[in-house]
Every structure is written in C-alpha cells, then in structure tokens.
C-alpha cells in the first residue's frame, strides 16, 4: 500500500465560499470499515479521524481505492475528505511500504444518514436521486452547518468536493421499489425490507416448523449481495433479487 504523510489541496466552491464570505460550511462525513461517521470538517488529521470512528491506536487508517495498493495514511497525515471519504483500517503491525496506488478513491455520498459509494464525483441532482433510489418529486438539499440548506435542482451540477452530505424533503410516503422474490416481481413500499417480510412475500406466511434461507444479489453498492437471518433488515434497490428457500426443521 502507498503511504501518505501529508496531503493538502484546494477547496471546492462551497468550502471556498465559506472561507471567503463566512457562509455556512457544508457537512462532511466518512465511511470507516463500512460504518458512517460525521466529521467536523473537510480536512483533519488521520489520527483524529480514527478517534472520531472509535478506533484504537493499534490500527492505522487506509483510504479505500478498491485496490491491493490502497493508500495507508500516517497518523499525522492531513486527510482531505474531498479526495475520497471511504476508509478501512488495518492492524499497525501490517503497515508496510507497497506499490503506489494509481486508481481513483471511492466516494460516498450521504443522504439522511444513508450512503452510497461511487467513483464519479461530478453528479447532477437527477443522478443523485437515482443513486439513492429517491422518487422524482423528492427535494434534494445539500446539508450545511446551518438551518438554511441548499436546494439542488435535477439539472444542477453537483460536485463531491463541495460537500457529500445531503438531506431529502417531500419524499413520497408511498414510494414503492420493484424487486424480484423467487423469480416473481414484487412492488414493496419503503426503503428497507426485513427477513420476515421476504418470507411472507415468497410463501404468504411464516411456518414455525420451517427454517428459511434468504439470499440476495443486485443490492445497493454498500452491500450488493449477501445472506439474511431472522431479524435482519436490508436496504432496497430497484431490481434487487431475493431467493427464499424453506427447509423443514428436524
């Protein structure tokens, strides 16, 4: 892995406006080991990021490029979240020089505490709605450190470096997502679905004498495939496929 001691680049439009005009600063967040953590500003030291994520000093921070040569960040490195805000950690004893990383860093856009990963930093209001599976009548706003959030039009260009945290208003309460359960299309309301709901969709009811195995694929970027057990809930994405298989208890 490539190791970085210190990085510092120019600020984006929203950040620059904040610095020059005392306008509200955009909110920032990072994904660390598949969990979302709000961050106090765009740039902060790697050691402080570990503290914010509740990670002990036995680990080091690694910026995720989806590469075997992901960038290891020294404790005193100044990390610019605009260059990539998806991270993982490794034990400090595994910190060793590696081949320099040339691939793009992963970017996580956040909306109402849900996040989706992309490599594309330049979006539009419309494409962000698609990324989060929001209905067309949703009002997307960039979330600032202020009650006066910025409304984003569908045709408006959205730069990741101007702040990746958004909120959504006027979402359709009855929004439905089309999924496939055991080969049959289903329209379900809401943004998540539970293990129990999937069993009912597949078989009409839950038999207490039956064990159900639930697997899925084509899920959101944060978890595109996996298995579910009783009590689990997963985020939905249009076109997600579920397979529910019954097995009689012995």
């Amino acid at each position: 892995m490539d190791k970085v001691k210190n990085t510092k680049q120019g600020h984006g439009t929203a950040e620059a406006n904040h610095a020059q005009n005392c306008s509200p600063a955009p909110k920032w967040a990072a994904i660390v080991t598949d969990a979302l953590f709000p961050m106090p500003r765009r740039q902060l030291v790697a050691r402080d990021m570990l503290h914010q994520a509740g990670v002990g000093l036995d680990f080091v921070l690694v910026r995720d490029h989806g590469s075997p040569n992901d960038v290891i960040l020294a404790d005193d490195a100044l990390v610019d979240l605009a260059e990539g805000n998806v991270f993982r950690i490794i034990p400090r004893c595994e910190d060793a020089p590696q081949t320099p990383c040339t691939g793009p860093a992963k970017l996580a856009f956040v909306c109402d505490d849900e996040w989706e990963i992309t490599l594309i930093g330049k979006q539009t209001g419309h494409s962000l709605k698609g990324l989060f599976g929001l209905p067309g009548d949703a009002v997307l706003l960039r979330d600032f450190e202020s009650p006066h959030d910025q409304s984003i039009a569908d045709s408006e260009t959205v730069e990741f470096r101007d702040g990746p945290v958004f909120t959504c208003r006027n979402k359709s309460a009855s929004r439905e997502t089309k999924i496939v359960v055991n080969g049959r299309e289903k329209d379900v309301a809401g943004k998540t679905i539970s293990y129990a709901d999937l069993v009912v969709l597949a078989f009409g009811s839950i038999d207490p004498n039956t064990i159900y195995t639930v697997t899925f694929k084509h899920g959101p970027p944060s978890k595109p495939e996996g298995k579910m057990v009783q009590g689990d809930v997963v985020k939905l994405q249009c076109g997600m496929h579920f397979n529910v298989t019954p097995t009689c208890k012995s």
Side-chain angles (χ1 to χ4, degrees):
M1 298 182 191
D2 194 18
K3 188 166 184 176
V4 171
K5 290 187 176 180
N6 205 310
T7 60
K8 193 169 185 178
Q9 292 190 358
H11 296 289
T13 303
E15 194 84 4
N17 288 341
H18 164 63
Q20 295 175 8
N21 305 322
C22 295
S23 60
K27 290 183 179 179
W28 286 88
I31 308 301
V32 182
T33 59
D34 295 323
L36 175 66
F37 296 94
M39 292 292 159
R41 53 193 172 275
R42 171 176 157 175
Q43 293 183 330
L44 65 165
V45 174
R47 178 177 54 252
D48 293 336
M49 287 189 61
L50 289 172
H51 289 162
Q52 293 300 317
V55 178
L57 296 179
D58 292 336
F59 296 88
V60 293
L61 193 66
V62 180
R63 177 173 268 135
D64 194 346
H65 293 249
S67 162
N69 301 318
D70 286 343
V71 178
I72 299 176
L73 298 159
D75 286 347
D76 61 350
L78 183 62
V79 182
D80 187 347
L81 295 176
E83 297 174 5
N85 65 336
V86 181
F87 303 86
R88 56 189 181 88
I89 59 173
I90 61 171
R92 190 170 295 276
C93 61
E94 295 181 11
D95 181 359
Q98 297 285 340
T99 303
C101 182
T102 58
K106 295 179 180 179
L107 309 174
F109 284 94
V110 181
C111 183
D112 292 336
D113 295 327
E114 296 184 8
W115 48 275
E116 299 292 350
I117 292 176
T118 179
L119 297 177
I120 309 300
K122 187 174 183 178
Q123 302 273 342
T124 64
H126 178 75
S127 68
L128 279 181
K129 286 182 182 180
L131 185 66
F132 285 101
L134 299 173
D137 64 348
V139 178
L140 193 65
L141 303 99
R142 175 170 268 124
D143 202 351
F144 284 91
E145 300 286 356
S146 159
H148 305 294
D149 295 332
Q150 176 190 358
S151 178
I152 305 294
D154 283 357
S155 59
E156 185 174 345
T157 298
V158 178
E159 294 281 1
F160 179 85
R161 66 174 50 253
D162 287 337
V165 181
F166 296 82
T167 187
C168 187
R169 298 175 186 165
N170 299 336
K171 290 183 284 191
S172 297
S174 61
R175 173 199 164 211
E176 291 189 338
T177 302
K178 189 178 294 295
I179 63 174
V180 178
V181 181
N182 286 2
R184 297 181 179 179
E185 287 191 352
K186 305 284 185 178
D187 291 318
V188 295
K191 300 165 67 176
T192 61
I193 194 166
S194 69
Y195 169 94
D197 289 338
L198 285 163
V199 173
V200 172
L201 282 174
F203 299 107
S205 62
I206 299 177
D207 184 346
N209 297 314
T210 300
I211 298 173
Y212 299 93
T213 301
V214 179
T215 60
F216 63 89
K217 60 183 179 179
H218 306 315
S222 56
K223 192 169 185 180
E225 60 183 30
K227 294 182 179 180
M228 298 177 66
V229 297
Q230 189 170 1
D232 281 354
V233 175
V234 296
K235 289 171 58 178
L236 287 175
Q237 177 163 289
C238 185
M240 202 167 176
H241 283 236
F242 294 89
N243 190 54
V244 185
T245 305
T247 304
C248 291
K249 292 182 179 179
S250 56

